[in-house]
Amino acid sequence: MADRSLPEKGAHTAEPDGSARMGLRFRPPRMLFSGVERPYLLSRLAEGLARQTVVLHAPPGFGKTALMKAAYEKIALGELPLPGPAVRVERCCWLTIAPGMSPERFIADLREALGLRDEIRATTLTDILEEAGQGDGITVLFLDDIDEIDLAGQPRLLEELVLEAPDNLRIACSSFRQPHLPLARLKARGVLTGITAGELAFGRSEMRRLLSRSTTAALIDPLMRITRGWPALAQLAAGIVSTSQSEEERDRLLAGRHADLAGFVREAVIRRFSTTLLEMLRRTAIFEDFCPELAVDLGCEPLESGDVLLLDDLRPVIDRQAAGWLALHPVLRACLLDDARHDLDRLEKALHTRAAAWFAGHGLLERAVSHAARGGDFRMAEEIIGRAGGVDIFLRAGHKVLEHLIDNFPPDVLHASPGLTLCYAVVLSKRGNAAAGRERLELLKAEGEWTETALAAVDRGVLDHIDSLIDVYEDKRMASGQAERLERVAASLPPHATWELAWIHNHLCILYTRSGDLEAARLSALKALGYYREERTAYAQVFMLVHLGLVGMLAGQFSAALQFCREAEDLVERSQWTDRNLMAIARLATADILYLQGEVLLVEQMLSESVEPLVRGESWVDLFTRLFWLLARSRLQVSGFDTAGAAIDKAEEVAAERALPRLKIAAGIMRVDLLVRAGMIESAAQAHERIPVLREEAAADQWTWREACDFDIASARLALAQGQALKALDALEDLVSSCKSSNRGYHRLIGEIMAVRAAWKAGRQQQALAYLQSAIALARAHEATQLFLDEGQEFATTLRAIVRRFGLKAFSVDAVEFMSRIVGHGFGRQPRPSVATRNAESGIPAPKGLLSTRETTVLKLLTEGRSNKEMARTLGLSEATIKFHLKNIYVKLGVGRRGMAVSVGRHLNLTASD
């Protein structure tokens, strides 16, 4: 590796005796903050140096210098080898560029940094490079802040340095501005590696590592929202959280207005703005995002070319979005608003009103409505809502926009307009008060006291849509005839009627899911998703992705379902992150699959956080059933029967509050199953006897296939506990047969797992083997281990007995591996914590079999620095499949980024060869 001419850690010279004459600019700066190990980025930097050149391009505070310093020290100590055959690093050098450094001074300092001998009088860049190329080993040169060089005299200096560098000189340089380098030519030659702000930004895992262990995990998401992963701000925030005892100071931090954060942003970023750019940003800071054209319409001066280039260099502090729109970092925005508060107090309403007119003129009606309301011009907002298609605006902009508008409209304006009354009906229904929403809808149908002209502005088709939406919340009028009617309406519409078609297929998906036609539900959801994507509405897309996840889960396509759910979560985080109810819906769908894969603690935490927004916001019976059943099962393992029973009590409370008899029946079935799992057989039998009574008290359409399947499973579980194996087996055989014919894979899997034990107890050993083989085949491809573990120690005993009776030869190699992981996790034990929890709190290594064989292979390739495309080519898979495996790896390792997955994988020795 490195020879003796490398410096000791803390010194910075290529020669052992040269440190005394070296200035501060010839060694990395001191950094006393709590550093975060970033092995993936170090590996990326080392790989780039092995090629030739690395450029770190990011705004101030993104850790460019810190990363180069870490690499410098590790290379100097021989702890970070450069990839490639027989690469010997002879020297490791550093040069920090002084502000306004002239080309001549740079050349002189470069000569000194490289440690050229005094007798060699190299005075030109060519001479220096020629002399540097004489050595046998590799020289690694780190150049910090190269944009500080004044290149007015020699504009091609850096280009010559990089293009003419000898093969044994490797260069890493950091830059805030776009560097004066031939990046395209270097990339074409394959000798350039770029590291950008997006890669340098911190993720949740790194933020978690910055915070002290005593800090509540609930702070991680708020701190990520306010810092957006900007490393300097994350470091400052972690220090504030760890030292501050003041609630007021913490509130200022989470609002982005803490003096330390604001001071850094002003020193590092705002001071670089020209007067024109600063005035534009101050005036537009009241908007979530803006474009230069809007800013000019608001009275700002057009930007000059230098300002436009600066905006590009500041990504993601000033993030460039689609069509040239710009969004300010929360802390930068808070600073600008504070600086301009005096003027904004006087101009804010006028700016919002003018922006509303601009948005309306450009067809961005939902934005126009929002700004008209914030400007206090509610008449304009009402007019624009009508132009936007009335209540359809909530599908385009999201429910939070509509809710904000309705909450801010004066009552006289709200009730004077049929369109706004309809919007109010939607808001009430989505807040969980479907009865009040129905009242206002019926008032509209009766045509109230409004004029014919006002009523004509409300499309009758929209009334029908909202009517069916409230039907979903109330779980009424959901018979098959509704689906047939909607199919006829959809067939009559032209292809360009995308909004109407999307809405219809959205409701068809819900109707078909309720009736048990899962394939029709899946196709309807895909059609609706396609239409919503055509309209580019993120809010509505989230719902369809959630529906696809729920339908996929019920059909037994767990891996595909998880992919849809993850996509929904990502979309919420990008576009609707303030909507807690929407995030809770997306997380519930994800939790459904994660539970099957054994992430019990994670599921319990996710659902405990989701209960309140779902109970107080938008939800429907199928979601409530999944929420409380998953919560009860996970709590039974995490904290015991009492807390699990409390989840079912809450389900019954919601059923009564919202008048949902089907949820009441579902809660009763949950209670039977839970009591049997807890060993309370007499109580379970009594609860079981009440189910037929509940069914009789409800309407006929309140007993669907879901209740029937869940009741059959609970009844069979009770029969098994009472020693009636044949009775249980008969019920389970009917259930499995029915689920096979109707493609209901989730209930089929549960039925087959239970049938293993029932058949074995009934003396039907060959049948028990067949059910076990089938259940493993259904579950193995999706890593769905938890349903086996839920059956407890008796199932483990049965499984071992089957193996003793028939031998391992009765199973495939993959099936044997799957069974060993089930038994290895342990039946009847406490649920295993997530990797992040174990690693952070207990230091216990991950168990064998944490990752599947395919996931381990993908993690190995990720550790080697392969891109998704390269991994797909190596494994013969699609990029989408690679992304799916990566998301599963992130979940199992408790990380959110590629680099952290590599780091945790190495720490837990997950990629080591057996």
Side-chain angles (χ1 to χ4, degrees):
M1 178 55 200
D3 65 13
R4 292 180 181 274
S5 65
L6 283 171
E8 296 297 323
K9 186 174 181 180
H12 187 92
T13 176
E15 299 294 335
D17 60 348
S19 60
R21 59 187 177 84
M22 288 299 211
L24 293 176
R25 290 185 293 103
F26 297 93
R27 60 175 179 264
R30 294 180 69 211
M31 293 182 177
L32 300 181
F33 57 74
S34 174
V36 175
E37 284 287 330
R38 312 193 75 182
Y40 169 68
L41 287 177
L42 285 171
S43 299
R44 282 262 291 147
L45 201 153
E47 289 168 3
L49 289 172
R51 294 181 178 183
Q52 183 84 47
T53 306
V54 180
V55 175
L56 294 86
H57 178 214
F62 270 81
K64 304 183 294 295
T65 302
L67 179 62
M68 291 207 307
K69 173 180 171 144
Y72 167 86
E73 292 175 344
K74 287 183 177 294
I75 291 173
L77 292 172
E79 297 175 357
L80 183 64
L82 304 190
V87 175
R88 184 174 67 87
V89 176
E90 184 177 324
R91 303 195 160 80
C92 197
C93 317
W94 184 282
L95 176 59
T96 299
I97 310 301
M101 178 180 281
S102 68
E104 293 76 19
R105 177 66 182 278
F106 171 70
I107 291 173
D109 282 359
L110 182 62
R111 178 182 181 279
E112 190 170 355
L114 290 170
L116 299 185
R117 299 190 303 276
D118 289 339
E119 61 269 21
I120 303 297
R121 305 309 301 171
T123 57
T124 68
L125 183 59
T126 301
D127 293 338
I128 290 174
L129 295 178
E130 184 176 340
E131 176 63 20
Q134 300 302 314
D136 295 331
I138 296 294
T139 295
V140 178
L141 173 64
F142 291 90
L143 296 174
D144 200 16
D145 291 336
I146 60 170
D147 41 74
E148 296 288 356
I149 303 175
D150 183 0
L151 295 174
Q154 298 185 43
R156 298 189 64 223
L157 179 67
L158 292 175
E159 181 177 341
E160 293 171 6
L161 171 63
V162 172
L163 290 178
E164 297 177 15
D167 287 344
N168 66 335
L169 178 61
R170 311 299 168 83
I171 302 171
C173 54
S174 72
S175 175
F176 157 53
R177 305 301 298 260
Q178 186 71 18
H180 292 271
L181 292 172
L183 301 179
R185 290 165 62 187
L186 291 170
K187 287 180 181 177
R189 288 167 49 180
V191 297
L192 175 68
T193 297
I195 298 179
T196 63
E199 296 170 276
L200 292 166
F202 282 175
R204 283 175 172 77
S205 299
E206 286 147 320
M207 178 64 80
R208 187 181 295 110
R209 291 165 63 195
L210 276 178
L211 296 171
S212 63
R213 290 186 181 181
S214 60
T215 303
T216 173
L219 276 176
I220 293 174
D221 281 345
L223 288 176
M224 281 301 300
R225 280 197 293 270
I226 204 62
T227 65
R228 298 284 174 89
W230 194 346
L233 297 190
Q235 294 278 1
L236 290 169
I240 295 165
V241 168
S242 63
T243 59
S244 173
Q245 302 298 319
S246 165
E247 282 295 324
E248 183 181 352
E249 186 175 16
R250 185 166 291 190
D251 289 344
R252 286 199 304 272
L253 170 64
L254 298 181
R257 287 187 156 83
H258 193 280
D260 291 350
L261 273 60
F264 175 83
V265 170
R266 288 191 171 94
E267 293 171 11
V269 176
I270 294 179
R271 68 175 181 83
R272 301 173 185 269
F273 295 159
S274 69
T275 303
T276 302
L277 178 57
L278 182 58
E279 176 60 27
M280 174 180 287
L281 295 181
R282 282 179 174 172
R283 182 160 290 205
T284 54
I286 61 173
F287 307 120
E288 285 77 12
D289 56 0
F290 68 96
C291 67
E293 184 183 350
L294 169 61
V296 170
D297 190 75
L298 295 177
C300 301
E301 292 292 326
L303 296 179
E304 296 182 358
S305 59
D307 290 329
V308 174
L309 291 175
L310 178 61
L311 291 176
D312 286 335
D313 290 328
L314 281 170
R315 293 183 188 178
V317 175
I318 299 179
D319 198 19
R320 187 176 291 277
Q321 301 176 330
W325 284 76
L326 303 170
L328 303 180
H329 187 281
V331 179
L332 172 59
R333 187 179 175 202
C335 288
L336 293 168
L337 286 171
D338 287 344
D339 292 345
R341 178 52 55 198
H342 176 72
D343 291 337
L344 288 178
D345 287 343
R346 179 171 49 87
L347 295 173
E348 186 169 2
K349 284 194 173 183
L351 288 173
H352 278 300
T353 301
R354 193 164 175 179
W358 188 90
F359 281 115
H362 287 74
L364 301 169
L365 300 183
E366 64 274 13
R367 301 288 296 273
V369 173
S370 177
H371 287 291
R374 292 167 70 180
D377 193 336
F378 295 104
R379 296 296 179 187
M380 177 191 284
E382 178 190 357
E383 178 186 341
I384 297 170
I385 283 179
R387 290 167 57 189
V391 76
D392 283 355
I393 195 170
F394 90 86
L395 283 174
R396 298 175 185 269
H399 173 62
K400 295 302 288 185
V401 170
L402 184 64
E403 187 177 48
H404 170 76
L405 295 173
I406 293 301
D407 286 344
N408 285 280
F409 272 122
D412 59 324
V413 175
L414 185 63
H415 298 294
S417 163
L420 293 183
T421 299
L422 184 59
C423 291
Y424 192 29
V426 172
V427 168
L428 287 169
S429 300
K430 282 180 167 282
R431 283 177 171 169
N433 195 350
R438 173 76 70 188
E439 286 178 5
R440 281 154 182 80
L441 186 67
E442 294 301 328
L443 186 63
L444 280 168
K445 287 182 178 179
E447 300 188 350
E449 299 178 357
W450 296 287
T451 65
E452 290 186 13
T453 304
L455 289 167
V458 179
D459 187 274
R460 192 73 196 182
V462 174
L463 285 179
D464 290 341
H465 290 326
I466 303 306
D467 202 4
S468 58
L469 181 70
I470 297 176
D471 283 345
V472 172
Y473 299 144
E474 293 184 323
D475 202 43
K476 294 178 180 177
R477 295 189 300 180
M478 305 283 283
S480 58
Q482 283 285 89
E484 294 169 3
R485 182 183 68 82
L486 289 176
E487 289 282 12
R488 289 195 298 271
V489 174
S492 69
L493 292 172
H496 61 265
T498 49
W499 279 114
E500 292 84 354
L501 287 166
W503 195 311
I504 288 171
H505 286 294
N506 183 343
H507 286 283
L508 280 170
C509 172
I510 296 171
L511 289 170
Y512 285 134
T513 302
R514 193 180 189 276
S515 67
D517 191 343
L518 300 181
E519 180 59 18
R522 185 184 71 86
L523 292 175
S524 294
L526 287 172
K527 289 177 183 177
L529 179 62
Y531 288 126
Y532 285 137
R533 281 178 171 164
E534 191 174 335
E535 290 288 346
R536 299 180 181 178
T537 170
Y539 178 78
Q541 287 178 50
V542 170
F543 278 97
M544 300 326 301
L545 290 166
V546 167
H547 282 309
L548 284 166
L550 293 172
V551 171
M553 189 279 300
L554 291 172
Q557 301 299 320
F558 307 130
S559 299
L562 182 59
Q563 191 168 352
F564 285 123
C565 296
R566 287 296 189 197
E567 189 176 346
E569 278 194 273
D570 289 345
L571 196 53
V572 175
E573 288 181 353
R574 290 200 311 271
S575 62
Q576 303 286 331
W577 59 272
T578 60
D579 193 332
R580 291 182 64 224
N581 177 248
L582 189 60
M583 177 58 80
I585 290 172
R587 284 182 173 168
L588 169 58
T590 303
D592 216 348
I593 315 300
L594 294 180
Y595 181 86
L596 299 181
Q597 296 182 340
E599 299 292 347
V600 178
L601 279 176
L602 179 61
V603 167
E604 195 275 336
Q605 293 165 4
M606 289 172 65
L607 296 185
S608 293
E609 295 171 2
S610 299
V611 169
E612 191 271 336
L614 285 172
V615 167
R616 298 299 162 211
E618 178 175 14
S619 194
W620 53 96
V621 170
D622 286 331
L623 281 187
F624 281 133
T625 300
R626 299 312 304 155
L627 168 66
F628 292 116
W629 191 208
L630 280 172
L631 192 58
R633 280 196 283 181
S634 58
R635 283 183 174 175
L636 181 64
Q637 299 176 63
V638 173
S639 51
F641 176 79
D642 288 344
T643 56
I648 297 177
D649 292 341
K650 187 66 176 178
E652 292 180 336
E653 178 186 320
V654 172
E657 183 180 324
R658 295 204 182 194
L660 298 173
R662 189 158 68 98
L663 179 58
K664 186 176 181 180
I665 294 171
I669 297 171
M670 294 178 207
R671 195 176 297 280
V672 174
D673 198 287
L674 185 67
L675 288 167
V676 177
R677 289 173 188 268
M680 303 168 70
I681 309 305
E682 282 191 29
S683 297
Q686 293 173 4
H688 185 269
E689 292 173 359
R690 288 197 291 270
I691 303 302
V693 177
L694 293 175
R695 181 180 178 181
E696 289 178 6
E697 291 175 349
D701 66 345
Q702 297 299 303
W703 183 269
T704 72
W705 71 276
R706 290 285 298 276
E707 289 71 53
C709 288
D710 289 340
F711 183 64
D712 287 345
I713 289 169
S715 300
R717 191 179 302 283
L718 177 60
L720 268 175
Q722 293 172 330
Q724 302 172 12
L726 276 176
K727 178 181 177 181
L729 183 59
D730 288 343
L732 292 170
E733 284 179 333
D734 290 342
L735 172 70
V736 170
S737 176
S738 171
C739 289
K740 279 184 179 180
S741 63
S742 52
N743 193 34
R744 297 165 187 167
Y746 171 74
H747 287 88
R748 173 189 168 184
L749 177 58
I750 296 177
E752 289 188 342
I753 292 171
M754 291 180 61
V756 172
R757 190 154 60 97
W760 188 264
K761 278 193 167 186
R764 300 180 181 180
Q765 298 176 342
Q766 194 68 43
Q767 193 175 6
L769 172 65
Y771 275 126
L772 180 59
Q773 290 171 327
S774 179
I776 291 174
L778 283 172
R780 181 176 51 78
H782 309 285
E783 302 296 327
T785 57
Q786 190 60 41
L787 293 180
F788 295 86
L789 299 175
D790 282 350
E791 296 305 311
Q793 190 59 47
E794 288 192 17
F795 182 85
T797 302
T798 303
L799 188 150
R800 293 188 182 99
I802 291 173
V803 171
R804 285 195 300 270
R805 169 67 176 81
F806 296 100
L808 290 177
K809 65 181 182 297
F811 303 92
S812 68
V813 174
D814 289 336
V816 171
E817 189 269 340
F818 184 81
M819 288 190 296
S820 68
R821 281 192 287 117
I822 292 174
V823 177
H825 284 167
F827 288 83
R829 299 178 186 172
Q830 286 294 310
R832 58 185 175 88
S834 67
V835 173
T837 303
R838 284 196 307 273
N839 196 31
E841 296 179 2
S842 63
I844 300 173
K848 276 284 187 182
L850 175 67
L851 302 181
S852 68
T853 303
R854 176 66 79 192
E855 288 165 352
T856 302
T857 304
V858 170
L859 182 58
K860 285 180 179 177
L861 294 175
L862 187 65
T863 304
E864 296 170 7
R866 306 284 189 92
S867 67
N868 289 359
K869 186 174 291 186
E870 290 170 335
M871 286 191 277
R873 190 181 300 117
T874 300
L875 299 177
L877 302 172
S878 68
E879 284 191 64
T881 303
I882 293 296
K883 289 179 182 178
F884 165 73
H885 287 307
L886 286 173
K887 286 194 174 183
N888 276 349
I889 291 170
Y890 296 163
V891 169
K892 291 182 179 182
L893 299 189
V895 302
R897 295 167 58 83
R898 298 167 74 93
M900 286 306 302
V902 171
S903 177
V904 173
R906 284 174 174 164
H907 180 72
L908 298 177
N909 203 30
L910 295 179
T911 56
S913 300
D914 293 334

